[in-house]
Amino acid sequence: MPKAVRFDHYGNVDVLKVIDVPKPSPSPGQVLVRVVTAGTNPGEIAIREGKLDKMFPSTFPSGQGTDFAGVVAELGDGVTAPSVGTPVIGWSNKRSAQSEFVAVPAEQLVVKPESLDWDVAGSLFVIASTAMASVSAVKAQRGETILVSGASGGVGSLTVQLVLRTGASVVGTAEQSHHDWLRSIGVTPVDYKNDLRENLIRVAPSGFDAVIDTVGHGYVDLAINMGIDPDRINTIIDFAAADKHKVHTDGSSKGESSDVLAKVAGLIADGELQVPVAAVYDLKDVRQAYTQLAEGHTGGKIVLRVSAP
């Protein structure tokens, strides 16, 4: 029997188990994929801990994971492509990606570019859809200066690159250890730990045209206090502040699209974008993967390796 990540009640990382499950069968319109790699995301921690129960309630036992890349194993009735044996990138809306096999609608898959690394491919959908939606929400334009919080994280590292492609300048907050990488791609890094507002004024004395918040921790309030138009602010995590100040909360559900996934995958394969991979764990070590993710200082993505390509 194939293995999959499961948890049967809310709690810390210790509730996660890797157990034997029945092999799924593709329904009409679905494709069964043998998973090679799967991504991890901070939102999955919040869901597993029950912090998003009102928004995203779990039905137990619950699976976990949205992002994956793998190889087509079987086609459901009515599906003619992609053919069996094709490497693909996709996403699950059923919290089932962290498994040796996953069945999803055919339209939630795109063909994996041959040159795209498996670890990057398997962790791509959430950050691609979230970053694209965030950049679109704030209407970044050439000549502007955009602030991105958490600029070296999974979503942030892709967001800053997409903003740069609009012709805007980017200032990004991040750990000191990630500043060299941010500079290498054209981002002005700022240490968020000491005198944040003063540091931001120093690097952008004319102010910011828009703010994209990927971490919470008061960035929406800071943006409002700095005079940023609420229509030019997007947060993917601070929903209380968003409701208070009426700013955007566009994230992966807003950007969900196979076209977006294919576009970003192609840009990465062509060397136009980078997705740093901070760590790779075997599926059986899922607890360790989420322990590292919860520390919150990761540069790039943490990936689960499920099977050989």
Side-chain angles (χ1 to χ4, degrees):
M1 296 177 71
K3 296 187 179 300
V5 175
R6 292 287 187 270
F7 62 100
D8 54 19
H9 59 279
Y10 291 131
N12 63 25
V13 71
D14 293 335
V15 305
L16 294 176
K17 299 176 290 185
V18 178
I19 65 172
D20 292 335
V21 298
K23 183 178 179 181
S25 296
S27 300
Q30 288 189 330
V31 174
L32 182 68
V33 177
R34 177 178 60 80
V35 177
V36 174
T37 53
T40 66
N41 295 284
E44 291 151 4
I45 297 175
I47 289 172
R48 185 242 303 154
E49 292 179 341
K51 294 178 179 178
L52 297 179
D53 183 59
K54 291 184 178 179
M55 188 179 301
F56 303 115
S58 292
T59 301
F60 301 116
S62 176
Q64 187 170 249
T66 299
D67 312 306
F68 67 88
V71 178
V72 174
E74 186 179 343
L75 303 180
D77 290 344
V79 180
T80 58
S83 60
V84 172
T86 301
V88 292
I89 313 169
W91 74 94
S92 166
N93 288 327
K94 302 294 186 181
R95 304 177 192 168
S96 57
Q98 293 170 9
S99 176
E100 291 183 341
F101 287 91
V102 61
V104 297
E107 58 267 24
Q108 291 176 205
L109 297 171
V110 301
V111 175
K112 184 183 85 68
E114 185 175 356
S115 61
L116 185 62
D117 180 83
W118 278 105
D119 293 335
V120 172
S123 61
L124 191 54
F125 170 74
V126 168
I127 62 170
S129 56
T130 303
M132 289 286 277
S134 297
V135 175
S136 177
V138 303
K139 308 175 185 68
Q141 300 177 47
R142 180 174 298 277
E144 294 187 329
T145 302
I146 313 298
L147 172 63
V148 179
S149 69
S152 61
V155 173
S157 60
L158 191 54
T159 298
V160 295
Q161 294 173 77
L162 292 174
V163 174
L164 288 169
R165 289 177 64 83
T166 71
S169 299
V170 180
V171 173
T173 65
E175 290 272 334
Q176 284 277 0
S177 59
H178 304 309
H179 284 195
D180 285 346
W181 180 80
L182 288 169
R183 291 190 188 96
S184 76
I185 62 171
V187 175
T188 300
V190 170
D191 187 355
Y192 60 88
K193 291 184 178 179
N194 299 301
D195 302 318
L196 173 59
R197 181 162 184 158
E198 289 74 13
N199 289 338
L200 292 174
I201 293 172
R202 175 177 52 80
V203 300
S206 298
F208 298 95
D209 297 285
V211 174
I212 297 174
D213 170 38
T214 74
V215 297
H217 304 305
Y219 278 96
V220 172
D221 290 329
L222 176 63
I224 293 295
N225 291 335
M226 294 179 74
I228 311 299
D229 181 351
D231 192 47
R232 304 295 307 279
I233 302 170
N234 190 77
T235 180
I236 65 171
I237 190 168
D238 195 346
F239 301 117
D243 184 61
K244 176 182 177 182
H245 298 295
K246 309 305 178 188
V247 306
H248 296 286
T249 56
D250 293 359
S252 62
S253 59
K254 183 77 171 183
E256 180 176 306
S257 164
S258 59
D259 290 340
V260 165
L261 181 58
K263 178 179 180 178
V264 174
L267 288 169
I268 297 169
D270 292 341
E272 298 292 322
L273 298 173
Q274 304 176 37
V275 174
V277 174
V280 179
Y281 292 86
D282 289 339
L283 184 66
K284 65 181 176 61
D285 297 320
V286 63
R287 292 181 180 179
Q288 291 93 314
Y290 278 96
T291 296
Q292 180 177 349
L293 183 62
E295 293 172 356
H297 307 301
T298 303
K301 293 292 293 183
I302 294 176
V303 186
L304 296 172
R305 193 162 288 159
V306 182
S307 67

